[in-house]
Amino acid sequence: MAIEKILKDDASEEKGERARMASFVGAIAITDLVKTTLGPKGMDKILQSTGRGHGVTVTNDGATILKSLHIDNPAAKVLIDISKVQDDEVGDGTTSVVVLAGELLREAEKLVAAKIHPMTIISGYRMAAECARNALSQRVVDNKENAEKFKSDLMKIARTTLSSKILSQDKEHFAQLAVDAVMRLKGSTNLEAIQIIKKPGGSLMDSFLDEGFILDKKIGLGQPKRIENAKILVANTAMDTDKVKIYGARVRVDSMSKVAEIEGAEKEKMREKVQKIIAHGINCFVNRQLIYNFPEELFADAGVLAIEHADFDGIERLALVTGGEIASTFDNPESVKIGHCKLIEEIMIGEDKSIHFSGVEMGQACTIVLRGASHHVLDEAERSLHDALCVLSQTVNDTRVLLGGGWPEMVMAKEVDELARKTPGKKSHAIEAFSRALVAIPTIIADNAGLDSADLVAQLRAAHHKEGCNAGIDVISGSVGDMAELGISESFKVKQAVLLSATEAAEMILRVDEIITCAPRQREDRM
Amino acid sequence: MAAVTAAQPRASKTESYVDNKRKEDIRQANINAARSVADAVRTSLGPKGMDKMISTANGEVIITNDGATILNKMEVLQPAAKMLVELSKSQDAAAGDGTTTVVVIAGAILKQCLSLLSHGIHPTVISDSLHKASTKAVDVLTAMAVPLELSDRESLIKSASTSLNSKVVSQYSTLLAPLAVDSVLSVVDPEKPDMVDLRDIKIVKKLGGTVDDTQLVKGLVFDKKASHAAGGPTRMENAKIAVIQFQISPPKTDIEQSIVVSDYTQMDRILKEERNYILGMIKKIKATGCNVLLIQKSILRDAVTDLSLHYLAKAKIMVIKDVERDDIEFITKTLNCLPIANIEHFRAEKLGYADLVEEVSLGDAKIVKVTGIKDMGRTTTVLVRGSNQLVIDEAERSLHDALCVVRCLVSKRFLIAGGGAPEIELSRQLGAWSKVLHGMEGYCVRSFAEALEVIPYTLAENAGLNPIAIVTELRNRHAQGEINAGINVRKGQITNILEENVVQPLLVSTSAITLATECVRMILKIDDIVNVR
């Protein structure tokens, strides 16, 4: 060959048609993988870890599935990224966003095959996305003013989100839990204040919301098991001994009594430290590190409740919700902020004892205790509940609400179709394709439910031809139904994020005309 | 990567036919794997069920009849099979008994699901119907149940012995059942009558003797000898007991230390100082009147030295050393005393009092018993004996199951008949109910009802009876309104099972049905297995 080699040995290059092909195939394969999880009758996946222990996860959450996949295809990685971003931004719709992007690419592939330039497709998609967004924002319902109605909107959204998850059977119960928890936050999106504790045993219906904070620890021996009007000092300090942390420090003595003296001095130091801590005027002391027997006894004598070995997450949250701060030196009692709560007591959850802090400073804080048959169920329940909480907290800030069940997609598709008719030139093909991709979502929902999607979607399209129609797919009865009556709602923010990020991702992948795989970094032979 | 290469030919989205072959295959594979797990434990169900011998990877041998233990030790890899193992663990946590039953029921429901799926019913429809059926089943069971008072010791013993009858130690059920009942009842806190913390019952295993020698001890038992190093006392009446968390040994600082000896007179002095130091501590201990010391194990330094033991023996103080830190809470709760972490805090009010602390010889081994404790906390100790390690272990597991059964009765005070009676009654009532339901639902509920017959069927089969004849006869009797007719395995015929004293707690049955259904629903909803990092 006359052409000189430009790239390194193991590096490869794919150009033009082939490169585009590779992206399409990768993206569509990912879409096909997750699309069966879409909708209330979507299926779950087992994720089997190939690592140590062969751990098993059962999930319906798109982001969780995608996050854990081994992927080598660059386009597929882009889709996984948008799913992650969706998860971080709004928490739900992680599957929808990937499916929509995949469908857009599937349509684009056909257009490319029909010799339409990718750039034309991109500009068509852009116009269509803008038009679809406007269509949605015109049809939103905003009940911000009416607290009663807004709460029922939240309940509807929570039910809709949960209905595609493992919690669907008890969605009424969990929707109430999630709405109550989010309402307590009073508009903040700080989900840190909602603590989720998982305890195996019982059934999902036994899960409950508890105001306050639960710490999964035991109270030290011989200490009060119940404290009212507690003053809490949260600390991260060594309560075994204060060691001299200079390497090689050692004591040289010449008699046994001196050793005893030093030991006595060490004990005395510890006692002083405990005295200083008690001098803060506290009656509850929570430490991240171990509290040894000796200080534990001193605390017990002083009637202070001491909790040892609380985990990092636990003390940070505890400091947050009780309004205290984490202390590590105790010389200036006046400068340390001490947390407060009305009541500390030991409670039993299932078979285990935990410590319950109620009436905490930060009124927003609450704890959701999940009960369930096994760890699989609990993990999945936590993921589902987390999704619902995210969506709800977003909705509290952006109170615009849409109907669900494929309704928004059909509304958008209709507007986009009209735009296509008005647009001259090749772009109109792309716009038309965009509308087809939108319709694919209700189609998949129907397919997953084992319904005749072709028939249902045709009916739906006909119904939407009328102005102001509320028709969507009622998966339970397997027919077209009125979404407003069925109480199926979605958050505008989620839908908008799905629409925009899916379009952007599709655009990005379409622009690619060359894939260069870099040569793997050579490993030096260290033998 | 597997996912990407598995890209299927892309079907146009508007076609109504979707190729689901791969998905069906995966579901089938999952169900088959789960069923094979269920089949593995099936033969251990019931009073005439057989045991399994498990030899673990490290050469240990376990003989057991307990479903949870068998499954736990089976190293299954298939994810769906793993879920059944988890299921059995959950039942163990929720009710403690019925760990085999729950797996067998799940296996039977899965078998029915397979045929439902092959009829083309959508998995979510099956799953929803199963949920409905299980809720209804719980209602039916609750209606069948007989309320129970905790004062009714007879009934409690009956249900504990039903649980024990299917175990290796069944011939000892007359001994172990009352023992289980008494120990649970003794730890029930009158302030929280629904709660029983099984951690308040300590089971001490000691090789030797037979299971007959198993006994309930009102007090404490240590699986250790009293310290004999210097001829200290081994029996102490009117004991004053201290639990100490410090060490009676030469001082040791936390910082590294070294004693510099520069001449030989110093050596004598150091030895003398050491003696004085220890003597000083022991005098303080003696001054409070303490005569029994329980010393926590220490990893940092010797908890006691020969020297200190010698002085303790001279001071007529009995010593039990190497008590684990985890046990301290249980001990202090029982003795109603406080642990002492520093010699300075050694005061009389922190001591516990007991009538007698003595070392008892059991064959070769020795244990220490503390009895007649003043103001004893709500705890109990059971001393399990057996001729070999295998028997002891199995006896402990069986006893644990029996304790759980009694605990279930304390938290939910209802009894239900055993011997397959509730299952066959459920099957009958759900079967009748399915006829009033519409569409697919009715069909699925009927399958669920049929699946429940697996319990009496397996009971009969394991007992060497003709399962078909027994199950049909049982159905017949139930149809005539004898809701408590069940299989009497001993007589090999059908009798009113309540009269035969075969009873079990309601909680065991309801949790078996709800957990099994939940697990099956989860398996049904899975359509793909993805390999991940």
Side-chain angles (χ1 to χ4, degrees), chain B residues 68-253:
Chain B
T69 314
I70 300 171
L71 290 173
N72 216 348
K73 299 285 175 192
M74 269 169 49
E75 289 176 3
V76 294
L77 281 180
Q78 215 278 344
K82 262 190 190 168
M83 291 173 67
L84 277 216
V85 177
E86 284 276 320
L87 168 70
S88 147
K89 274 189 207 158
S90 313
Q91 172 80 4
D92 201 23
D97 196 17
T99 47
T100 316
T101 317
V102 69
V103 175
V104 171
I105 292 181
I109 301 177
L110 282 172
K111 187 176 166 194
Q112 293 288 341
C113 289
L114 212 51
S115 77
L116 290 176
L117 284 172
S118 69
H119 287 149
I121 303 179
H122 196 272
T124 49
V125 176
I126 304 179
S127 154
D128 290 352
S129 322
L130 289 183
H131 184 255
K132 263 193 192 158
S134 77
T135 331
K136 175 84 180 171
V138 171
D139 291 346
V140 174
L141 284 178
T142 318
M144 277 177 79
V146 190
L148 165 94
E149 286 298 320
L150 278 192
S151 49
D152 185 2
R153 193 158 168 272
E154 281 305 303
S155 300
L156 290 174
I157 292 174
K158 273 188 236 161
S159 47
S161 52
T162 308
S163 159
L164 288 168
N165 271 337
S166 62
K167 315 281 177 187
V168 178
V169 292
S170 58
Q171 70 270 36
Y172 303 111
S173 62
T174 43
L175 170 77
L176 292 181
L179 197 144
V181 173
D182 290 344
S183 52
V184 172
L185 289 185
S186 68
V187 300
V188 175
D189 188 346
E191 281 173 27
K192 292 183 201 150
D194 298 344
M195 291 286 201
V196 178
D197 193 346
L198 284 189
R199 272 167 295 196
D200 289 341
I201 300 172
K202 191 173 169 193
I203 299 181
V204 177
K205 296 185 280 186
K206 196 75 194 165
L207 195 64
T210 58
V211 180
D212 267 329
D213 300 330
T214 299
Q215 51 176 311
L216 183 76
V217 180
K218 287 257 170 220
L220 276 174
V221 172
F222 293 97
D223 183 11
K224 308 190 164 54
K225 300 190 277 200
S227 180
H228 286 280
T234 55
R235 183 185 154 89
M236 192 63 73
E237 286 180 31
N238 291 325
K240 292 179 184 160
I241 308 163
V243 181
I244 62 169
Q245 296 179 308
F246 59 89
Q247 298 82 19
I248 307 179
S249 56
K252 187 180 169 195
T253 53

Side-chain angles (χ1 to χ4, degrees), chain B residues 327-340:
Chain B
D327 293 340
I328 295 281
E329 183 169 5
F330 182 82
I331 293 169
T332 51
K333 192 172 174 191
T334 311
L335 291 175
N336 198 14
C337 66
L338 288 171
I340 303 165

Side-chain angles (χ1 to χ4, degrees), chain B residues 337-384:
Chain B
C337 66
L338 288 171
I340 303 165
N342 189 333
I343 184 77
E344 304 298 330
H345 297 183
F346 208 109
R347 289 190 295 273
E349 70 262 23
K350 291 195 175 181
L351 303 183
Y353 299 90
D355 289 346
L356 180 66
V357 179
E358 66 172 336
E359 191 181 66
V360 187
S361 306
L362 291 173
D364 281 350
K366 288 184 174 158
I367 57 165
V368 176
K369 262 191 193 176
V370 182
T371 44
I373 298 167
K374 200 175 117 196
D375 297 332
M376 189 176 143
R378 301 197 168 275
T379 57
T380 298
T381 307
V382 179
L383 180 64
V384 179

Side-chain angles (χ1 to χ4, degrees), chain A residues 21 25-26 28-29 32-33 35-36 41-51 53-56 58 60 67-73 103 106 109 164-166 169-170 202-204 218 221-222 225 241 243-244 249-257 259-260 262-263 266-267 271 291-294 296-298 301 308 348 351-353 373-377 440 443-444 447-450 452-454, chain B residues 1-4 7-8 10-16 18 23 27 30 77-80 82-83 86-87 90 92-94 122-125 127-128 131 192 195-197 199-200 245-247 250-261 266 269-270 273-274 277 296 300-301 325 328-329 332-333 338-342 344-345 347 350 407 515 518 521-522 524-533:
Chain A
M21 203 54 198
V25 168
I28 289 167
D32 283 342
L33 181 74
K35 79 177 182 199
T36 53
K41 297 236 164 159
M43 291 291 150
D44 296 357
K45 307 266 175 216
I46 289 187
L47 305 180
Q48 187 172 32
S49 157
T50 47
H54 294 275
V56 171
V58 179
N60 179 282
K67 219 163 21 192
S68 27
L69 283 178
H70 289 295
I71 291 295
D72 206 14
N73 184 301
E103 292 303 326
R106 206 193 290 273
E109 190 189 7
S164 63
K165 316 273 170 165
I166 192 172
Q169 285 298 338
D170 310 313
S203 76
L204 286 172
K218 275 202 282 192
L221 284 176
K225 302 274 182 211
T241 44
K243 278 191 189 131
V244 180
R250 57 158 60 194
V251 198
R252 271 174 204 281
V253 285
D254 56 0
S255 73
M256 204 51 117
S257 60
V259 180
I262 293 172
E263 195 193 15
E266 278 176 347
K267 285 253 162 74
R271 188 196 306 274
I291 301 178
Y292 268 36
N293 300 327
F294 176 59
E296 184 178 343
E297 195 190 2
L298 291 178
D301 280 351
E308 66 166 1
M348 287 274 275
E351 290 192 9
D352 294 325
K353 282 182 181 147
S374 68
H375 283 288
H376 297 154
V377 175
T443 315
I444 293 169
D447 272 344
N448 284 346
D452 185 351
S453 57
Chain B
M1 244 343 261
V4 178
Q8 289 160 0
R10 291 178 294 283
S12 158
K13 278 329 297 164
T14 41
E15 273 177 15
S16 67
V18 185
K23 282 165 193 155
R27 208 167 272 134
N30 279 342
L77 281 180
Q78 215 278 344
K82 262 190 190 168
M83 291 173 67
E86 284 276 320
L87 168 70
S90 313
D92 201 23
H122 196 272
T124 49
V125 176
S127 154
D128 290 352
H131 184 255
K192 292 183 201 150
M195 291 286 201
V196 178
D197 193 346
R199 272 167 295 196
D200 289 341
Q245 296 179 308
F246 59 89
Q247 298 82 19
K252 187 180 169 195
T253 53
D254 292 307
I255 321 178
E256 216 175 323
Q257 52 158 349
S258 60
I259 302 175
V260 185
V261 180
Q266 230 175 344
R269 210 177 73 216
I270 289 170
E273 275 171 358
E274 183 182 337
Y277 180 78
Q296 182 181 317
L300 291 171
R301 64 194 228 201
R325 191 182 179 198
I328 295 281
E329 183 169 5
T332 51
K333 192 172 174 191
L338 288 171
I340 303 165
N342 189 333
E344 304 298 330
H345 297 183
R347 289 190 295 273
K350 291 195 175 181
R407 184 185 62 174
L515 289 177
E518 210 162 288
R521 289 177 57 212
M522 202 143 176
L524 274 181
K525 277 195 83 183
I526 290 161
D527 74 340
D528 209 350
I529 297 180
V530 184
N531 280 321
V532 298
R533 272 178 288 240

